[in-house]
Amino acid sequence: EFKGTVKKGEKSNSYEFLKQFKRSVNKNINTYEETIYDESFKERFIRKDCKLFYDDGVHSETQDKFGVSYDILDNRIVFPIRNYEGKIVSFKGRINSEDYKINGIPKFIYYYPIDARQYLYGYYENYYDIILSDDVIVGESEKFVQQLDSMDIHNTLSISKKVISEEQLNKLIRLHKDIVLAFDKDVTLQDIFIECRK
């Protein structure tokens, strides 16, 4: 209980700290500026079915739907990353050789820098199926969405990592659907509980 007095206009240190913290949080929220790339950017790559993805259960129709292609210059399998309106914001590439670790090559890269926390992969491609469904199945990788699409399951999204960001969470909640988390087998039950509490 506070029984002292505060002079008019005088602010406590805690109040000043909270005010600055709020200002910095609000400032960080709006700092991300999205860059849109024209569809002609896809012409840099060769649109052809990828055997590596096919062997992992991603059928031809699905590869076509999600724009899976080859970058022969970089020896990568690539697919566009689209925003919620379907505009291309980047491409994600997976190295097409299995000795990438020995050579110190990253397995996945984004061709153009994006803030992946802002996006749910598959949202644009699966939007109508998600709207008509009672729930949405959320996985880690983009290939998860593609694999389930090949199994005729289209109410799926990917967070592109193991942790749901605040931006992704807000988008998921606004769908007003039950959310089913289907993470990879290396994620512990405890980690899943943490994500569920969000």
Side-chain angles (χ1 to χ4, degrees), residues 106-141:
K107 185 176 183 180
F108 289 99
I109 62 164
Y110 286 104
Y111 277 65
Y112 307 101
I114 62 167
D115 183 355
R117 298 171 305 169
Q118 305 287 334
Y119 304 103
L120 291 164
Y121 181 78
Y123 185 95
Y124 172 75
E125 293 87 348
N126 290 338
Y127 178 76
Y128 291 106
D129 292 291
I130 291 167
I131 293 303
L132 295 171
S133 180
D134 293 331
D135 56 20
V136 58
I137 305 168
V138 179
E140 286 180 51
S141 72

Side-chain angles (χ1 to χ4, degrees), residues 5-12:
T5 60
V6 178
K7 293 177 186 170
K8 191 174 180 182
E10 190 179 320
K11 302 280 194 283
S12 73

Side-chain angles (χ1 to χ4, degrees), residues 58-127:
V58 181
H59 297 164
S60 262
E61 300 79 20
T62 298
Q63 291 193 36
D64 196 44
K65 173 182 174 179
F66 289 94
V68 175
S69 304
Y70 280 106
D71 178 354
I72 56 170
L73 296 176
D74 231 9
N75 191 25
R76 288 189 181 273
I77 303 151
V78 297
F79 46 85
I81 304 296
R82 298 182 180 275
N83 67 9
Y84 298 119
E85 289 78 41
K87 307 287 186 194
I88 295 174
V89 292
S90 189
F91 290 88
K92 192 165 186 179
R94 190 236 191 253
I95 195 70
N96 198 26
S97 66
E98 293 308 315
D99 58 353
Y100 63 91
K101 284 184 184 173
I102 298 166
N103 297 322
I105 300 168
K107 185 176 183 180
F108 289 99
I109 62 164
Y110 286 104
Y111 277 65
Y112 307 101
I114 62 167
D115 183 355
R117 298 171 305 169
Q118 305 287 334
Y119 304 103
L120 291 164
Y121 181 78
Y123 185 95
Y124 172 75
E125 293 87 348
N126 290 338
Y127 178 76

Side-chain angles (χ1 to χ4, degrees), residues 1 3 10 45 49 55-56 59 61 63 71 93 96 106 118 127 135 143 162 164 178 182 191:
E1 185 178 346
K3 296 193 177 193
E10 190 179 320
F45 309 116
D49 285 356
D55 291 346
D56 271 350
H59 297 164
E61 300 79 20
Q63 291 193 36
D71 178 354
N96 198 26
Q118 305 287 334
Y127 178 76
D135 56 20
K143 194 158 62 168
K162 298 179 190 304
I164 302 170
D178 290 339
D191 291 334

